[in-house]
């Protein structure tokens, strides 16, 4: 059985989908601080129609050692896929305590529970934010790591911890450094659902006559003056985690970038949304945001060579899936709001 932490969230839920499709039983640990119980229910329903896999959910926190002990005692866990973390860069700057407490302390607590219960394989969700300002692009895994915010620092701290646990206790790991993730699964099981939306594609999709899309900076040293990023489809990203788990059965630990190896500018993504969906999105040109590098592109050759993995989903398909999910999300949010109102009025309404 695979333990997936943070699978009520965006990337973790898609990893759960891929493990389910691949025939694995899954137990999810999530405190629902940023994830959604509705996603858990959708994963359970999906599993019933997939291969009959077991999907169990434990509401709990990685910092709760008692919950972790009970979980590892109850389930025969073969490996942990660890997504649970806070990930808002700006928030990490204003509230670093939250990020070190959850991303570092919680992860150390999880590692200790794994060692106590002899679970020696982990796939860890890290980030290209550990590289900081790029000294060269495309960025390979040997690029210097100099994070410029507490979020990146917290992830880098855990990379060091995992490597130290490996040396001391025999932990085997794959550490993935993600670039920019977009899209949703084609069956609308999950997608981006953030209380504070900071990601590019959903913010473009949410723009309407009441909310314009703000494009920050058009004077960068790039092909069209806007920032260039490496946008990887979330389903391609999720597939890599299943492959990493299988890789760890007979291979040594490794650290791998996950990206397409290509870059699109903000203007190109904006145009892709308009052209794919045949819509006109209201746009406002703004000045640069502080701390935005001109280019962040992955060198993904190691992923291709070691895991035999590569991104497969075209940009227009990622956009279509994200747009379809936005429609589902509105329905889910409306149902949630109605249930909350009913609860406040002393009524009971099922979601």
């Amino acid at each position: 059985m695979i333990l997936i932490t943070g699978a009520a969230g965006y990337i973790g839920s898609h990893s759960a989908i891929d493990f389910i499709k691949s025939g694995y039983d899954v137990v999810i640990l999530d405190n629902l601080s940023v994830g959604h119980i509705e996603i858990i229910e959708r994963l359970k329903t999906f599993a019933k129609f997939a291969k009959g896999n077991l999907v169990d959910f434990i509401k709990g926190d990685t910092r709760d050692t008692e919950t972790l002990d009970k979980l590892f005692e109850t389930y025969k866990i073969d490996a942990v896929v660890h997504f649970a973390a806070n990930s808002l860069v700006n928030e990490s700057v204003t509230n670093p305590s939250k990020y070190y407490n959850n991303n570092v302390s919680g992860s150390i607590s999880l590692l200790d529970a794994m060692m106590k219960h002899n679970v020696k394989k982990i796939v860890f969700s890290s980030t290209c934010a550990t590289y900081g300002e790029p000294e060269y692009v495309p960025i390979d895994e040997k690029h210097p790591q100099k994070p410029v915010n507490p979020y990146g620092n917290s992830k880098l701290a855990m990379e060091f911890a995992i490597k130290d646990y490996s040396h001391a206790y025999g932990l085997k790991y794959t550490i993935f450094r993600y670039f920019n993730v977009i899209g949703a699964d084609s069956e609308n099981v999950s997608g981006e659902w953030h209380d504070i939306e900071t990601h590019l594609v959903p913010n473009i999709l949410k723009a309407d006559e009441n909310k314009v899309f703000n494009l920050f900076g058009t004077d960068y040293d790039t092909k069209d003056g806007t920032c260039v990023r490496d946008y990887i489809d979330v389903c391609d990203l999720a597939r890599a985690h299943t492959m990493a788990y299988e890789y760890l059965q007979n291979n040594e630990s490794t650290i791998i970038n996950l990206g397409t190896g290509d870059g699109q500018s903000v203007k190109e993504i904006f145009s892709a949304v308009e052209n794919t969906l045949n819509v006109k999105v209201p746009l406002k040109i703004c000045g640069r945001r502080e701390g935005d590098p001109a280019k962040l592109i992955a060198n993904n050759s190691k992923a291709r060579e070691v895991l035999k993995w590569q991104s497969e989903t075209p940009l227009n398909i990622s956009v279509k899936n994200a747009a379809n999910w936005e429609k589902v999300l509105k329905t889910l949010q409306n149902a949630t709001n109605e249930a909350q109102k009913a609860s406040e009025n002393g009524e009971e309404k099922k979601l």
Side-chain angles (χ1 to χ4, degrees), residues 266-328:
V266 175
K267 280 185 179 179
E268 287 175 327
I269 297 294
F270 184 85
S271 296
V273 173
E274 289 194 322
N275 294 335
T276 300
L277 304 178
N278 193 27
V279 296
K280 187 67 178 176
V281 180
L283 173 67
K284 179 182 178 181
I285 303 297
C286 305
R288 291 189 185 192
R289 289 184 304 192
E290 184 179 354
D292 272 347
K295 297 179 183 178
L296 288 174
I297 302 172
N299 180 329
N300 68 1
S301 59
K302 188 172 181 181
R304 289 185 279 110
E305 293 167 5
V306 173
L307 289 185
K308 312 304 179 189
W309 171 94
Q310 61 183 6
S311 59
E312 297 176 351
T313 308
L315 178 59
N316 67 313
I317 299 300
S318 297
V319 168
K320 283 182 180 178
N321 289 340
N324 289 336
W325 169 252
E326 283 294 320
K327 297 173 186 175
V328 174

Side-chain angles (χ1 to χ4, degrees), residues 23-289:
Y24 293 101
D25 291 332
V26 168
V27 59
I28 294 166
L29 177 69
D30 199 301
N31 64 12
L32 300 180
S33 61
V34 293
H36 302 273
I37 190 63
E38 296 90 340
I39 298 297
I40 299 297
E41 296 305 322
R42 294 173 76 83
L43 288 172
K44 289 182 176 180
T45 301
F46 173 75
K48 290 178 182 178
F49 291 98
K51 294 187 178 180
N53 306 82
L54 175 67
V55 176
D56 276 358
F57 170 61
I58 307 298
K59 183 179 180 182
D61 196 291
T62 54
R63 292 163 287 192
D64 185 342
T65 56
E66 184 176 344
T67 294
L68 289 176
D69 276 338
K70 287 181 179 178
L71 191 158
F72 281 105
E73 288 166 3
T74 303
Y75 298 94
K76 184 174 176 55
I77 304 297
D78 185 56
V80 175
V81 186
H82 183 33
F83 296 97
N86 294 108
S87 60
L88 295 176
V89 170
N90 290 340
E91 182 187 52
S92 79
V93 174
T94 59
N95 190 6
S97 173
K98 177 178 180 179
Y99 281 70
Y100 286 105
N101 195 310
N102 189 26
N103 297 6
V104 179
S105 296
S107 298
I108 293 296
S109 177
L110 176 65
L111 290 181
D112 286 342
M114 291 173 63
M115 297 307 97
K116 178 179 178 180
H117 295 277
N118 199 35
V119 177
K120 296 294 183 75
K121 293 188 285 292
I122 187 169
V123 181
F124 178 64
S125 166
S126 191
T127 170
C128 66
T130 64
Y131 294 124
E133 292 288 337
E135 296 181 9
Y136 56 84
V137 291
I139 299 169
D140 59 24
E141 291 82 0
K142 295 179 181 179
H143 187 285
Q145 290 179 282
K146 300 176 183 178
V148 295
N149 53 65
Y151 167 63
N153 286 331
S154 71
K155 287 293 189 176
L156 181 57
M158 283 314 305
E159 287 195 20
F160 280 119
I162 288 169
K163 287 185 278 189
D164 288 340
Y165 272 60
S166 176
H167 178 75
Y169 310 125
L171 177 68
K172 291 179 68 175
Y173 62 83
T174 297
I175 293 172
F176 282 131
R177 295 174 186 154
Y178 305 158
F179 283 68
N180 291 59
V181 188
I182 59 173
D185 76 285
S186 60
E187 298 176 75
N188 295 320
V189 178
S190 185
E192 300 208 51
W193 186 354
H194 305 118
D195 292 334
I196 301 174
E197 188 54 74
T198 61
H199 293 173
L200 177 61
V201 171
N203 273 323
I204 297 174
L205 293 171
K206 292 177 192 298
D208 55 28
E209 64 274 6
N210 299 314
K211 181 184 177 184
V212 302
F213 172 71
N214 294 318
L215 195 162
F216 294 98
T218 57
D219 59 348
Y220 289 93
D221 184 18
T222 60
K223 47 192 167 185
D224 60 20
T226 62
C227 289
V228 171
R229 298 291 183 266
D230 190 330
Y231 295 95
I232 176 174
D233 187 86
V234 68
C235 295
D236 292 338
L237 187 89
R239 178 167 41 84
H241 292 74
T242 309
M243 296 172 74
Y245 162 70
E246 293 170 346
Y247 174 85
L248 285 177
Q249 303 305 306
N250 300 302
N251 296 280
E252 295 304 310
S253 300
T254 189
I255 299 174
I256 295 175
N257 284 340
L258 285 181
T260 65
D262 192 15
Q264 287 84 34
S265 71
V266 175
K267 280 185 179 179
E268 287 175 327
I269 297 294
F270 184 85
S271 296
V273 173
E274 289 194 322
N275 294 335
T276 300
L277 304 178
N278 193 27
V279 296
K280 187 67 178 176
V281 180
L283 173 67
K284 179 182 178 181
I285 303 297
C286 305
R288 291 189 185 192
R289 289 184 304 192

Side-chain angles (χ1 to χ4, degrees), residues 10-28:
Y10 177 41
I11 300 175
S13 61
H14 285 85
S15 180
I17 291 168
D18 199 83
F19 272 103
I20 292 166
K21 284 182 176 179
S22 300
Y24 293 101
D25 291 332
V26 168
V27 59
I28 294 166

